[in-house]
């Protein structure tokens, strides 16, 4: 069977597909554009970062909502995913932050609010900490501060049990890639089924989303790249670069931070989400009822308006001359 082409994620519709050079690679980004004309560069920029197994389509519901709220709403395929470049290296927190910082500037802005889920949330925390001048606020979905998550995994057996199996299996070369891609990406379907809430699983939107994610993980190089993020997260715990990264991350943010967590999320438990307040002066948590690990997809009617309200009071855009 022929593998999907990277261009298969370039869906038609009110989406402007952009090829953006940032941090030495090409990133595929998508801007919500319901009307023809020039990009809405005079609006404050909001950049959306997906999590493991996803791509820009994860934000299909929130992009229109943030556009209607007056923002320039752009989602990106992270390095290694979708139609973005898939280099052999660079799947670490340092490089992820560099990619996002470069993307913001390449889009013509000097700052943006950044929204992320899962490893995309790590990108939010890392970019805001390592490149503070380009981030005006962050919002994270089921993505605690990396130090809070590490401490919780070490001290809380339930959190450790939820994460240890998947991240350990990801370390197996080739075996893990084969498992992700075989049977038309069935493993991605199993992952979403295990981590999402029952309400979303009964909808047509869930069925469509799984069709897209199962296809996208089969794009050549994607499964390997996705697993490389998890491999770095594990291996860095035992290497000097991991210690340096966490040391650099161990500082408080002075920008607003909004954290969402689905109340039925079995993968990221409440403790690390709430304890992340130690790394932000202005930290707010919103629990989302009847949602699991993917609250932005499961309950966009709740997450979207709360995100728009959170961003409404931020300063306006600062554009490059």
């Amino acid at each position: 069977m022929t593998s999907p082409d990277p261009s298969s994620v370039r869906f038609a519709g009110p989406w402007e597909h952009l090829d953006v050079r940032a941090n030495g690679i090409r990133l595929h980004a998508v801007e919500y554009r319901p009307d023809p004309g020039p990009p809405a560069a005079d609006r404050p920029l909001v950049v959306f970062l997906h999590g493991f197994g996803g791509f820009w389509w994860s934000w299909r519901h929130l992009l229109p909502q943030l556009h209607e709220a007056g923002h320039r709403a752009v989602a990106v395929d992270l390095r290694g995913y979708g139609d973005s470049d898939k280099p052999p290296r660079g799947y670490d927190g340092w490089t992820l932050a560099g990619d996002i910082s470069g993307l913001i500037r390449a889009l013509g802005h000097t700052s943006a609010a950044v929204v992320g889920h899962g490893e995309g949330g790590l990108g939010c925390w890392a970019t805001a900490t390592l490149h503070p001048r380009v981030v005006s606020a962050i919002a994270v979905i089921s993505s605690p501060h990396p130090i809070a998550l590490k401490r919780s995994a070490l001290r809380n057996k339930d959190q450790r049990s939820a994460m240890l199996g998947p991240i350990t299996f990801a370390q197996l070369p080739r075996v893990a890639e084969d498992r992700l891609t075989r049977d038309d990406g069935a493993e991605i379907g199993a992952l979403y089924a295990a981590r999402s809430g029952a309400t979303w699983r009964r909808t047509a939107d869930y069925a469509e989303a799984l069709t897209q994610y199962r296809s996208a993980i089969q794009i050549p190089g994607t499964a390997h790249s996705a697993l490389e993020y998890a491999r770095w997260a594990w291996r860095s715990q035992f290497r000097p670069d991991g210690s340096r990264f966490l040391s650099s991350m161990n500082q408080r943010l002075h920008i607003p931070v909004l954290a969402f967590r689905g109340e039925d999320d079995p993968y990221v438990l409440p403790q690390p989400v709430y304890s992340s307040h130690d790394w932000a002066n202005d930290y707010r948590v919103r629990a989302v009822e009847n949602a699991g690990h993917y609250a932005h997809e499961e309950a966009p009617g709740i997450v979207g308006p709360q995100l728009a309200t959170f961003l409404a009071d931020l300063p306006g855009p600062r554009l490059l001359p």
Side-chain angles (χ1 to χ4, degrees):
M1 180 177 178
T2 303
S3 298
D5 188 84
S7 63
S8 63
V9 302
R10 292 182 175 250
F11 303 149
W15 318 108
E16 179 77 13
H17 294 273
L18 310 171
D19 291 297
V20 184
R21 301 295 306 187
N23 204 25
I25 64 169
R26 179 191 57 82
L27 295 171
H28 170 231
V30 177
E31 180 174 355
Y32 180 71
R33 295 279 303 282
D35 302 309
D42 58 336
R43 296 173 171 224
L45 176 65
V46 183
V47 173
F48 293 87
L49 315 175
H50 63 83
F52 180 84
F55 62 105
W56 73 268
W57 184 245
S58 303
W59 305 103
R60 62 197 176 280
H61 300 304
L62 266 59
L63 289 170
Q65 292 187 44
L66 269 293
H67 176 87
E68 293 302 320
H71 298 272
R72 184 184 183 192
V74 177
V76 63
D77 292 340
L78 296 182
R79 170 188 296 248
Y81 281 96
D83 199 18
S84 288
D85 282 350
K86 300 168 181 61
R89 297 179 181 83
Y91 301 95
D92 58 88
W94 303 98
T95 307
L96 179 59
D99 288 352
I100 304 314
S101 174
L103 173 71
I104 292 168
R105 293 185 177 278
L107 289 170
H109 295 252
T110 59
S111 68
V114 188
V115 182
H117 168 248
E119 63 197 26
L122 172 62
C124 293
W125 287 108
T127 309
T129 303
L130 303 175
H131 304 273
R133 292 185 178 181
V134 304
V135 182
S136 57
I138 65 171
V140 290
I141 297 95
S142 289
S143 189
H145 190 279
I147 298 177
L149 186 58
K150 179 179 180 178
R151 290 179 179 175
S152 182
L154 290 173
R155 300 171 183 175
N156 184 315
K157 65 179 180 61
D158 292 331
Q159 183 63 79
R160 183 167 60 252
S161 176
M163 302 191 71
L164 189 60
I167 200 169
T168 301
F169 182 81
Q171 308 310 308
L172 299 175
R174 294 187 298 276
V175 176
E177 281 88 344
D178 289 344
R179 181 169 173 176
L180 273 183
T181 56
R182 71 188 180 200
D183 298 329
D184 293 329
E187 182 66 17
I188 288 294
L191 183 151
Y192 272 76
R195 297 180 184 176
S196 59
T199 300
W200 187 42
R201 292 198 301 269
R202 292 192 291 265
T203 66
D205 181 72
Y206 172 81
E208 180 186 9
L210 258 62
T211 297
Q212 302 298 352
Y213 298 142
R214 289 179 62 174
S215 174
I217 200 66
Q218 298 177 71
I219 294 172
T222 299
H224 174 73
S225 299
L227 291 163
E228 283 294 288
Y229 287 105
R231 287 165 178 161
W232 174 80
W234 174 259
R235 295 169 185 171
S236 67
Q237 305 303 313
F238 313 103
R239 300 189 307 203
D241 66 308
S243 298
R244 289 195 300 270
F245 178 74
L246 289 184
S247 178
S248 297
M249 292 295 296
N250 194 19
Q251 52 186 297
R252 293 176 70 87
L253 297 179
H254 301 287
I255 58 172
V257 179
L258 177 62
F260 292 97
R261 179 186 175 273
E263 290 189 340
D264 299 330
D265 187 350
Y267 188 64
V268 175
L269 305 185
Q271 194 276 331
V273 173
Y274 284 92
S275 66
S276 294
H277 67 75
D278 289 343
W279 290 274
N281 288 337
D282 181 356
Y283 186 72
R284 317 166 198 183
V285 179
R286 300 290 184 268
V288 184
E289 295 183 353
N290 300 315
H293 189 59
Y294 311 94
H296 55 301
E297 296 187 83
E298 299 180 53
I302 296 173
V303 173
Q306 292 191 15
L307 178 60
T309 298
F310 168 69
L311 297 177
D313 296 330
L314 294 179
R318 290 178 293 156
L319 303 178
L320 292 173

